[in-house]
Amino acid sequence: YHNEIKEFCRDKTQVENIFPKYSFRSEICNSYWEIITKSQNIPSKMKVYKPCFWSQAKGIIISKSLPKEQDLEWEYPYLIQEFVDTLNGFEWYTGIHDFRVIILNGKITGSFLRVAPDWVMTANVATWAKIIDFYWKVPEQIQRVINQVESYIAPLYPERYYSIDTCIGKNGEVKIFELNSNPMLSTPSIIEWLAQHIIKNILKIS
């Protein structure tokens, strides 16, 4: 499923262009000079610098100051992104977080929260984030955002498997980190649902 939507998710500025209300201000940079000049367009004091085409929090730098060129270890392009404070937490969980919702052809197959440890600023399993399985539950304010994303994507990609990574800002606003065409299967509920889906489709074919 995920191949059809892969290129759409790969372009990290797509969400900002289509859903500016829910997006982080960002800039794509193809050189260190562009990083210097375009960082001035990002409104937050703290900024996120990350390679466009890597995952698992690889190469991410979060800083108030401009990183040195030698600290940017990965190939260009890099993405500079607005930093949004999520320290107030998610529902009853406190701390830096993101909330991932996995979708298969319009149906939510799983959702989980990733909460960063106190010494890390990225909520990613590769950086020891704690995973809390929400099964198929999605808070109402996030569901509204998902509905808007799906209403745009569904006509373009009838067969789609992807995730929407979101967070709750300090004022309660929902923001979209990114869309991911290769979400990890990290909770038993997601693996169980997908196994049942595959079995049902095999039975239909046979």
Side-chain angles (χ1 to χ4, degrees), residues 52-64:
C52 283
F53 303 136
W54 290 91
S55 59
Q56 298 182 336
K58 292 178 180 178
I60 292 179
I61 297 173
I62 301 174
S63 175
K64 289 182 180 179

Side-chain angles (χ1 to χ4, degrees), residues 134-194:
F134 271 58
Y135 299 91
W136 303 275
K137 299 175 184 176
V138 177
E140 184 178 343
Q141 70 269 40
I142 292 180
Q143 183 65 61
R144 287 195 293 267
V145 175
I146 290 171
N147 292 344
Q148 292 187 46
V149 173
E150 269 288 292
S151 66
Y152 180 89
I153 288 179
L156 299 174
Y157 307 99
E159 292 189 345
R160 58 200 181 280
Y161 176 63
Y162 72 106
S163 69
I164 304 177
D165 293 352
T166 66
C167 69
I168 304 293
K170 65 180 180 180
N171 297 316
E173 71 278 16
V174 177
K175 292 288 186 180
I176 300 173
F177 278 119
E178 65 177 358
L179 307 185
N180 190 327
S181 64
N182 190 27
M184 63 178 184
L185 305 179
S186 55
T187 65
S189 63
I190 295 170
I191 296 171
E192 179 184 355
W193 193 98
L194 285 174

Side-chain angles (χ1 to χ4, degrees), residues 57-110:
K58 292 178 180 178
I60 292 179
I61 297 173
I62 301 174
S63 175
K64 289 182 180 179
S65 58
L66 193 71
K68 296 178 180 178
E69 187 171 11
Q70 60 264 32
D71 293 333
L72 304 174
E73 301 174 353
W74 303 88
E75 293 181 0
Y76 288 97
Y78 261 76
L79 187 75
I80 309 176
Q81 199 170 53
E82 176 186 3
F83 178 82
V84 172
D85 185 356
T86 66
L87 273 172
N88 285 351
F90 186 93
E91 296 194 346
W92 54 89
Y93 299 99
T94 58
I96 292 172
H97 67 275
D98 79 0
F99 185 74
R100 172 169 286 186
V101 179
I102 298 180
I103 297 170
L104 175 63
N105 296 344
K107 184 176 180 62
I108 293 174
T109 67

Side-chain angles (χ1 to χ4, degrees), residues 28-48:
I28 289 182
C29 302
N30 291 295
S31 68
Y32 188 64
W33 174 249
E34 288 191 359
I35 286 178
I36 294 171
T37 55
K38 291 184 177 182
S39 64
Q40 300 171 32
N41 299 331
I42 307 299
S44 60
K45 291 182 179 179
M46 192 87 76
K47 296 174 178 59
V48 181

